[in-house]
């Protein structure tokens, strides 16, 4: 081989190596769609250790359930690798064909979860946290304890109740409970269920659309009871220490926060690694202890004081009621107008 040819070849190989090395070493990026709450705690508990573990970058798409699901639908399931949604919205995503069915063999930590969390929507994402919808009330002002969903219609609660708006996570559940109060299935007999909503109206001061609105109503003394999600309990009690979570004979309603991999995920293997990471006993323990999310991993152990904030423990979870998200989503559109007619919205 001539020196010119050899030199040219060597230079060519060097140039090829110089060109290829940055591409080969390119850092992967995991894109997460979530609400963006508790940012500092999530950074220290989840994001910083996961970056160290994966050697990757992490970027986010934030917003409420509806906004983020709409963006994902517009992009036909592309643009993010991991998607956090409440179960009603993840069910919509499933029905729209936006999520992948998951390979549980790539998620070994799922085996350590409560059964309710392992596979709540038929092959799609697990729940990473379990919450509940129930009733909170000011025990200093409501002298007869609330022990049943039917107590919402009591005369002593006249003009003292706040309900979640119909477009919130908990709002449609009010219609379901109104149907049960009337002795009907709200999905089969909307007329009967809304007769129950109408009968509840004299007790309602205001519908709220955010947790902060509801907390303010307690703080100002405008309401003494509300239907609420349990993640708001600590904030309500910080404002009004005498507010308690009602121990309902029928049980509170389970709400699941799910995590899925969209069908257009650019980094699906990294997404599997991330989901398995957040379901580990260590991460679940820290999230619960630091007041971020209720744990779903059965290995998590909390003190009574820590547990009081959460849907936690086998007995509590076994006592929860479930509502079919698919049925709820199908019915909700027709319920909104009827609800607004009753409450003048």
């Amino acid at each position: 081989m001539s020196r010119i040819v050899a030199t040219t070849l060597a230079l060519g190989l060097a140039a090829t190596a110089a060109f290829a090395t940055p591409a080969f070493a390119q850092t992967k990026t995991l894109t997460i769609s979530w609400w963006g709450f508790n940012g500092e705690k999530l950074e220290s508990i989840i994001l910083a250790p996961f970056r160290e573990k994966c050697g990757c970058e992490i970027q986010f798409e934030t917003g409420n359930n509806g906004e983020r699901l709409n963006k994902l639908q517009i992009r036909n399931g592309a643009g993010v690798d991991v998607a956090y949604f409440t179960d009603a919205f993840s069910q919509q995503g499933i029905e729209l064909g936006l999520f992948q069915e998951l390979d549980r063999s790539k998620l070994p930590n799922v085996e350590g979860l409560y059964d309710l969390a392992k596979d709540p929507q038929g092959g799609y994402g697990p729940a990473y946290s379990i919450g509940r919808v129930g009733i909170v009330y000011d025990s200093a002002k409501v002298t007869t304890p609330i022990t049943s969903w039917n107590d919402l219609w009591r005369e002593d609660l006249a003009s003292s109740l706040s309900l979640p708006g119909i477009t919130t996570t908990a709002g449609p559940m009010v219609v379901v409970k109104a149907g049960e109060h009337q002795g009907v299935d709200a999905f089969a007999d909307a007329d009967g269920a809304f007769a129950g909503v109408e009968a509840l109206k004299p007790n309602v001061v205001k519908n709220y659309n955010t947790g902060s609105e509801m907390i303010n109503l307690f703080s100002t003394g405008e309401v003494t009871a509300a239907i609420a999600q349990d993640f708001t309990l600590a904030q309500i009690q910080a404002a009004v220490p005498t507010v308690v979570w009602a121990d309902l004979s029928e049980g509170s309603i389970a709400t699941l926060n799910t995590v899925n991999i969209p069908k257009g995920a650019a980094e699906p293997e990294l997404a599997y690694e991330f989901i398995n990471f957040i379901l580990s006993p260590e991460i679940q323990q820290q999230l619960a202890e630091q007041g971020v999310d209720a744990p779903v991993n059965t290995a998590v152990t909390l003190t009574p004081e820590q547990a009081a904030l959460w849907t936690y423990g086998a007995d509590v979870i076994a006592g929860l009621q479930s509502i079919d998200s698919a049925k709820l989503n199908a019915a909700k559109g027709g319920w909104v107008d009827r609800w607004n007619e009753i409450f003048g919205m």
Side-chain angles (χ1 to χ4, degrees):
M1 182 183 295
S2 72
R3 180 175 297 177
I4 294 174
V5 172
T7 302
T8 303
L9 179 60
L11 289 173
L13 290 172
T16 301
F19 179 80
T21 299
F24 180 76
Q26 185 176 3
T27 301
K28 292 183 178 181
T29 298
L30 179 73
T31 304
I32 302 172
S33 172
W34 62 3
W35 296 274
F37 302 144
N38 291 308
E40 291 184 4
K41 291 182 178 180
L42 290 172
E43 172 63 30
S44 64
I45 298 169
I46 295 177
L47 302 179
F50 188 73
R51 285 192 197 95
E52 184 176 353
K53 175 180 171 63
C54 72
C56 61
E57 295 180 358
I58 303 175
Q59 62 185 21
F60 311 97
E61 183 169 273
T62 60
N64 65 34
N65 283 289
E67 292 168 348
R68 294 184 295 107
L69 185 64
N70 185 56
K71 289 178 182 178
L72 194 59
Q73 184 178 4
I74 290 170
R75 299 191 302 258
N76 197 30
V80 298
D81 304 302
V82 175
Y84 284 65
F85 287 103
T86 58
D87 50 0
F89 285 88
S90 57
Q91 182 63 41
Q92 288 183 42
I94 290 166
E95 292 168 4
L96 290 167
L98 301 179
F99 300 134
Q100 302 179 21
E101 290 192 47
L102 299 189
D103 180 354
R104 258 52 185 183
S105 70
K106 297 180 180 180
L107 299 171
N109 284 329
V110 165
E111 291 307 309
L113 308 187
Y114 292 108
D115 287 344
L116 183 62
K118 289 179 178 178
D119 187 11
Q121 294 176 308
Y124 293 90
Y128 68 88
S129 182
I130 298 176
R132 53 188 165 160
V133 172
I135 302 171
V136 292
Y137 67 97
D138 187 344
S139 60
K141 295 179 179 178
V142 180
T143 55
T144 302
I146 294 175
T147 60
S148 169
W149 286 99
N150 290 314
D151 288 346
L152 292 171
W153 283 262
R154 287 184 348 201
E155 291 183 1
D156 64 306
L157 294 181
S159 300
S160 60
L161 176 66
S162 183
L163 300 180
I166 188 63
T167 59
T168 67
T169 297
M173 298 176 188
V174 180
V175 181
V176 174
K177 287 301 171 186
E180 291 176 3
H181 180 72
Q182 296 294 110
V184 302
D185 177 350
F187 300 118
D189 185 358
D191 290 342
F194 275 94
V197 175
E198 183 75 49
L200 187 59
K201 184 179 178 181
N203 287 4
V204 178
V205 174
K206 187 178 181 180
N207 292 174
Y208 69 86
N209 290 304
T210 65
S212 58
E213 286 182 66
M214 185 256 292
I215 293 164
N216 187 58
L217 290 169
F218 272 104
S219 299
T220 59
E222 293 175 75
V223 303
T224 59
I227 293 178
Q229 291 183 259
D230 64 348
F231 71 83
T232 63
L233 181 59
Q235 294 171 289
I236 301 170
Q237 290 177 331
V240 184
T242 49
V243 169
V244 297
W245 186 269
D247 184 11
L248 303 175
S249 59
E250 308 93 338
S252 298
I253 302 169
T255 58
L256 304 179
N257 288 332
T258 64
V259 60
N260 275 278
I261 301 177
K263 70 176 186 180
E267 298 289 350
E269 295 308 311
L270 199 55
Y272 273 108
E273 187 178 352
F274 179 83
I275 293 172
N276 195 57
F277 181 75
I278 66 172
L279 297 177
S280 69
E282 298 79 12
I283 298 301
Q284 289 270 305
Q285 182 79 38
Q286 291 182 63
L287 290 170
E289 287 180 348
Q290 296 195 34
V292 179
D293 282 313
V296 292
N297 195 299
T298 60
V300 172
T301 302
L302 301 179
T303 66
E305 292 76 18
Q306 293 167 338
L309 297 176
W310 299 124
T311 303
Y312 165 77
D315 291 342
V316 171
I317 290 172
L320 295 174
Q321 295 184 310
S322 295
I323 292 180
D324 188 318
S325 294
K327 284 186 176 181
L328 202 66
N329 288 341
K332 186 163 56 176
W335 290 355
V336 171
D337 289 342
R338 299 189 67 159
W339 178 280
N340 291 340
E341 287 174 7
I342 291 172
F343 292 106
M345 302 174 70

